[in-house]
Amino acid sequence: MRSRGASLGATLLDALLAVLLGSLLLTAALRLLVGVQGGTLTLIARSDRLQAVRLTEAVARIDGPGRAGGETGEVLEVRAFRGTGVACSWGGGLVVVRGVRLPDPGKDSVRILGEDGRWRGHRLVSAEDRPEGECLVSGPGRRQRWTVDPEPELPWVAGRYFERGSYHLADGAVRYRRGRGGRQPLTPELLHPESRFVSTPWGLRAELRFRPARGGAEAVRGAPERMWHVAVSNR
């Protein structure tokens, strides 16, 4: 017959074994959770990086070639294309406007296509809405009369309006600044401070250097930052 002390000892041993087993299971579960979390963070970081690369490539297609600036090349100054004006008739300044937004004389410049086939730059003085009946050009768009400075010497057939802006690789993100406004983030904050725009013999390039994912496998292994070279314009 087992004594009361022996029974108590067995109970304590069972309890210790249960605690030890529970600790092992908890540790394994935590390690699994950390591994899954790290893998998820790495996938999110890779997705964010691709978003930044694609956005920078889109800048080149939409806003055209720019000029690198800033002390370390972190600024890309552009004349961002915003829309067109198709002339209703030769001369007179009547146009059908089509674009991502209407022209704004306070911040836009225009390039006018003359009847000689050449584009010339002008300042947009005014863009006044006109009745539909004054323009015979078919299709969607807002009817306006443009006044530009200097006044074109030749009749013109079309115009394009542009907005001055700049893209920045600053404070960990790709950012856009319109005129003198603030720099608005276009991507998550994942860029290394050494990211920049550089001029090369083959054209303007963006060097996007990324930080390791926080808590991800790259950060655990201490992997170096990766860099993508994105063509912004070609010579």
Side-chain angles (χ1 to χ4, degrees):
M1 184 173 181
R2 298 176 62 185
S3 64
R4 184 177 179 181
S7 299
L8 181 59
T11 302
L12 291 175
L13 180 60
D14 292 340
L16 289 174
L17 289 175
V19 170
L20 178 59
L21 181 59
S23 299
L24 293 175
L25 291 175
L26 180 60
T27 301
L30 289 175
R31 288 180 177 176
L32 178 62
L33 179 61
V34 169
V36 172
Q37 183 184 33
T40 301
L41 291 174
T42 299
L43 289 176
I44 293 175
R46 290 175 181 173
S47 176
D48 290 342
R49 290 172 180 175
L50 289 176
Q51 176 186 344
V53 171
R54 290 168 180 167
L55 181 100
T56 307
E57 291 174 338
V59 167
R61 292 195 301 269
I62 297 173
D63 291 339
R67 181 172 62 88
E71 294 182 0
T72 58
E74 76 280 4
V75 181
L76 177 66
E77 299 174 352
V78 297
R79 295 177 66 245
F81 172 74
R82 290 297 176 255
T84 61
V86 180
C88 298
S89 59
W90 292 80
L94 288 173
V95 295
V96 177
V97 176
R98 300 162 182 162
V100 296
R101 62 164 176 76
L102 293 175
D104 184 347
K107 59 183 177 182
D108 293 342
S109 60
V110 296
R111 290 183 64 81
I112 299 299
L113 177 63
E115 63 177 357
D116 60 352
R118 296 180 58 188
W119 289 94
R120 296 175 175 86
H122 299 263
R123 183 175 67 89
L124 182 62
V125 178
S126 65
E128 301 175 351
D129 289 344
R130 308 301 296 174
E132 294 283 333
E134 291 190 20
C135 183
L136 300 180
V137 174
S138 61
R142 183 77 66 88
R143 272 60 178 171
Q144 291 188 333
R145 182 185 297 277
W146 284 1
T147 302
V148 299
D149 182 40
E151 185 176 348
E153 298 179 358
L154 299 174
W156 51 279
V157 297
R160 298 173 178 170
Y161 54 99
F162 300 84
E163 169 187 286
R164 287 197 175 276
S166 55
Y167 289 89
H168 300 253
L169 306 178
D171 299 327
V174 181
R175 301 173 184 271
Y176 181 69
R177 181 178 183 179
R178 179 184 294 110
R180 297 183 178 180
R183 299 180 300 189
Q184 302 300 318
L186 303 178
T187 66
E189 296 181 358
L190 44 77
L191 294 180
H192 190 276
E194 294 180 3
S195 298
R196 59 179 180 165
F197 296 101
V198 296
S199 297
T200 71
W202 305 276
L204 191 62
R205 297 288 188 270
E207 293 182 353
L208 303 182
R209 186 184 291 274
F210 296 99
R211 301 168 178 167
R214 293 183 178 179
E218 294 180 356
V220 173
R221 293 195 301 267
E225 303 90 353
R226 298 182 178 181
M227 181 182 294
W228 289 67
H229 295 265
V230 181
V232 178
S233 66
N234 297 316
R235 296 194 185 281

